[in-house]
Amino acid sequence: EAGVTQSPTHLIKTRGQQATLRCSPISGHTSVYWYQQALGLGLQFLLWYDEGEERNRGNFPPRFSGRQFPNYSSELNVNALELEDSALYLCASSSGLAANTGELFFGEGSRLTVL
Amino acid sequence: KNEVEQSPQNLTAQEGEFITINCSYSVGISALHWLQQHPGGGIVSLFMLSSGKKKHGRLIATINIQEKHSSLHITASHPRDSAVYICAVMEYGNKLVFGAGTILRVKS
C-alpha cells in the first residue's frame, strides 16, 4: 500500500510568486495535515483538513491556504512568497477526526526555496 | 516558555547503551506523539500515547498525564538509531505542537 506522497520534491520560486504543493494521503485516510519546518524554527502546524473542510489552522497569515479534494488529496498554496517561506513542508494523514485514535503517517516533504 | 520542552537537545551514546529522552508539556492534550526524523527529512511516527506505556521492539514510550511528562527509551542502542527524535503533543482541535527535537548519535 502506498504511503503519503507529496509533490514536488523540490520547488524553487522567487519572491512574490505563488507556490502550490500537493499531498495524497494513505488510502482510506480522510484527515490531511500540513506542517512547516523552517530552518531554525522547528516544525509548526499549518492546516488540518478533514472531509473536504478546513478544521483548524496554525498561526500563519492568510496567504497560506489550501483545500482538500473529494478524493481526500490536498493542496497547499502559498501566495506572495517571502524569503522566510523557504522551508520543508510536510504533509501527514490519519484516519478519522479523533485525535487520540488516528496515528499520523508523514510524507517525505516538499522543499520550497524562495530566492 | 515553549509549550513542549525536550531534553537533552543533543545526545551521544555508545552502541548498546540505554537511552532516555524526556518531554514535558504545559497544555491540555488529547495525545502525545514520538516521531523520528532522519537527515533526509522524512518523519516516521514511533508512538502515539494517551496514557500508560507502549513498546515496539527496542523502543519504549511512557506518559504520565498528571505530571504532563513523557519519556522515550531505547534499549541496546545501535548506530542506525541515530536520528532526531521529536516529541509532539496533539492539542484539542488536532493542532500538533512540536518540541525542538533531540539529536541522537549512536557511535559503534
Side-chain angles (χ1 to χ4, degrees), chain B residues 1-5 24-32 63-69 88-92 95-98:
Chain B
K1 188 178 187 293
N2 293 333
E3 293 177 355
V4 182
E5 298 278 355
S24 296
Y25 54 93
S26 57
V27 295
I29 67 169
S30 55
L32 182 144
I63 187 168
N64 184 318
I65 297 293
Q66 286 73 30
E67 294 185 5
K68 296 187 175 177
H69 181 269
V89 299
M90 188 71 93
E91 295 183 351
Y92 299 103
K95 177 186 174 185
L96 200 60
V97 179
F98 299 84

Side-chain angles (χ1 to χ4, degrees), chain A residues 33 37 48 56 97 99-100 104, chain B residues 30 37 43 45 93-94 98:
Chain A
Y33 302 84
Q37 189 173 35
W48 169 35
N56 200 0
L97 285 171
N100 60 353
L104 288 173
Chain B
S30 55
Q37 186 171 31
I43 290 180
S45 175
N94 285 18
F98 299 84

Side-chain angles (χ1 to χ4, degrees), chain B residues 73-100:
Chain B
H73 306 285
I74 305 175
T75 62
S77 59
H78 189 276
R80 64 175 175 267
D81 297 326
S82 299
V84 178
Y85 292 83
I86 302 167
C87 170
V89 299
M90 188 71 93
E91 295 183 351
Y92 299 103
N94 285 18
K95 177 186 174 185
L96 200 60
V97 179
F98 299 84

Side-chain angles (χ1 to χ4, degrees), chain A residues 73-88:
Chain A
S73 67
S74 177
E75 269 183 7
L76 173 68
N77 296 294
V78 188
N79 295 318
L81 284 166
E82 300 178 3
L83 295 178
E84 52 265 33
D85 298 332
S86 296
L88 180 68

